[in-house]
Amino acid sequence: MLFEDLSLSKSIQRAVFEEGYTQPTPIQEQAIPIVLQGRDLVGCAQTGTGKTAAFAIPIIHSLHRIVGSSNKAKQIRALVVTPTRELAVQIGESFDTYGKYTNLRQLTIFGGVSQVPQVDQLKKGVDILIATPGRLLDLHKQGFINLDHLHHLVLDEADQMLDMGFVNDVKKIVKLTPDNRQTLLFSATMPIAIRELAEMFLKDPASVTVTPVSSTAEKVEQRIYFVDKGEKRNLLYHLIRNEKLEDVLVFSRTKHGADNVVKSLRKKGVAAEAIHGDKSQGARQRVLDAFKNKEVGVLVATDIAARGIDIDLLPYVINFDLPNIPETYVHRIGRTGRAGSSGVAISFCSKDEAPYWKDIQKLIKVDVTVIADHPYPWHEGSPTEETAPTPPKNSNRSGGAHKSRKSNASKQNKKRWY
């Protein structure tokens, strides 16, 4: 299917073609016609599948037909609720891109910054509002937001909102909207709590599932290093220096750990920055901009902060700490190998993380390349040896040769857009 087959308005087609996109991704191909029909939708898709455009484009199309070129006072007709400030900004940029030849006006609001500019824009009137839960409820309570005219409600990254404790806020928000709204729920995973939320707020929804969570990105080369826990920072620097890695996204399990990794790299002359919940909104945006502009070569992030990172052609993802939830591994490495490009996902596994790695392998069912030759292998005598996989013997401590089992990842390289 080509984009022109979706019967979208000429204004949207023009904006999309100018971005160089002709073929929708699977989630877009399936979801856009459903949304255009006015049906509620539950979409399950991992990061990098193009789900933002899957709801932004049909919403713009529908609202453009309603609003047209009218200059009457604008009302909030579409609301997108998303868990993080960074993700809200990315979604707002998508609405700007695809709606630039329409008369629609969008506004993105979030906490951590002054509400004054946001309130000023609300007073002028907006058609589309993208918001984090806290700031949305706060401004509604102050009387600056009216959702009585809402046509479309999007709950994006629903599983992440659940993890971050926003479920009660989401329920409050839904109750503020008209009963005859169209509701779209998107989530990377579908735990029972999300399914219950969908049953509570959606009416006879269509369901679209693309790329099961157990499957890792086809174009991602996966590698695993079995490394002594205290040597992870040294191994990270070793790889960055010896393999000349640039544009690297590193995942840390904790905010404190992310800061420590950055300090360690900076001491060795590597331009690195951290992004996590303790950073102010301004600081987080500056770090993201510096990374996108290649002023910073290594970005260290926690899982929650990384949900809002949308960077094209990211070549390397490194799991400095393995996640204790296997599905998180899939979401992390989905940050690379996007839009048909290749990518490399590198994981460090200390002996105490061996059970995590076993769970990940059960989920992904892929033979990951084990890198045997590196300077910082496991030491003998760990109490976790019985539960740990046996890493290959280290035969060359000076190099980073990529030996052992090869990934079974597919070689497909289809042109997709995001």
Side-chain angles (χ1 to χ4, degrees), residues 259-278:
D259 288 334
N260 284 339
V261 169
V262 168
K263 289 177 184 177
S264 173
L265 290 174
R266 284 179 176 174
K267 285 181 181 179
K268 296 175 180 177
V270 177
E273 293 284 355
I275 182 170
H276 52 65
D278 284 351

Side-chain angles (χ1 to χ4, degrees), residues 130-392:
I130 298 102
T132 53
R135 178 54 59 95
L136 174 62
L137 288 172
D138 189 22
L139 293 184
H140 179 273
K141 185 177 181 180
Q142 296 179 53
F144 296 120
I145 290 176
N146 182 344
L147 300 177
D148 291 345
H149 303 276
L150 197 72
H151 289 218
H152 311 277
L153 171 64
V154 182
L155 304 177
D156 192 32
E157 300 284 2
D159 55 346
Q160 190 72 358
M161 286 198 281
L162 188 71
D163 290 342
M164 295 174 66
F166 288 138
V167 64
N168 288 331
D169 285 348
V170 170
K171 291 178 180 178
K172 291 177 184 177
I173 291 167
V174 174
K175 290 179 180 178
L176 299 175
T177 64
D179 291 337
N180 63 348
R181 69 184 182 273
Q182 179 185 34
T183 308
L184 314 175
L185 184 150
F186 289 87
S187 185
T189 60
M190 283 291 162
I192 293 175
I194 295 299
R195 292 197 292 269
E196 291 176 344
L197 200 67
E199 291 176 1
M200 189 182 306
F201 297 129
L202 279 70
K203 300 174 182 177
D204 188 28
S207 179
V208 174
T209 300
V210 176
T211 309
V213 71
S214 60
S215 64
T216 49
E218 294 176 347
K219 296 293 294 180
V220 178
E221 178 189 347
Q222 300 175 61
R223 307 173 190 168
I224 181 75
Y225 288 75
F226 296 103
V227 54
D228 228 33
K229 185 173 185 178
E231 300 288 0
K232 283 188 175 184
R233 295 178 203 168
N234 290 329
L235 177 59
L236 179 60
Y237 174 69
H238 170 81
L239 294 178
I240 292 171
R241 180 193 63 190
N242 287 10
E243 300 195 18
K244 297 180 173 57
L245 304 186
E246 297 178 345
D247 303 322
V248 185
L249 176 59
V250 179
F251 281 97
S252 170
R253 194 178 298 124
T254 66
K255 293 174 282 189
H256 179 68
D259 288 334
N260 284 339
V261 169
V262 168
K263 289 177 184 177
S264 173
L265 290 174
R266 284 179 176 174
K267 285 181 181 179
K268 296 175 180 177
V270 177
E273 293 284 355
I275 182 170
H276 52 65
D278 284 351
K279 301 279 187 179
S280 69
Q281 173 61 21
R284 292 161 82 171
Q285 198 60 52
R286 284 193 297 272
V287 168
L288 268 180
D289 291 342
F291 186 64
K292 289 181 178 180
N293 295 332
K294 301 187 183 302
E295 298 166 9
V296 171
V298 180
L299 180 64
V300 187
T302 56
D303 288 302
I304 289 177
R307 275 291 179 104
I309 298 174
D310 187 12
I311 301 168
D312 293 332
L313 304 179
L314 186 64
Y316 299 100
V317 166
I318 297 180
N319 292 304
F320 186 87
D321 298 314
L322 283 181
N324 59 353
I325 300 174
E327 289 82 1
T328 300
Y329 173 86
V330 178
H331 302 324
R332 286 181 178 184
I333 74 169
R335 295 287 170 180
T336 186
R338 300 170 71 168
S341 63
S342 60
V344 178
I346 297 170
S347 297
F348 296 169
C349 180
S350 58
K351 285 195 174 181
D352 62 320
E353 293 174 312
Y356 300 161
W357 182 242
K358 292 179 75 173
D359 289 341
I360 290 168
Q361 288 185 301
K362 288 178 183 177
L363 178 70
I364 64 175
K365 296 179 176 63
V366 170
D367 287 333
V368 177
T369 302
V370 178
I371 306 302
D373 300 327
H374 68 88
Y376 309 104
W378 284 356
H379 289 146
E380 301 298 327
S382 167
T384 61
E385 279 182 4
E386 291 184 2
T387 61
T390 303

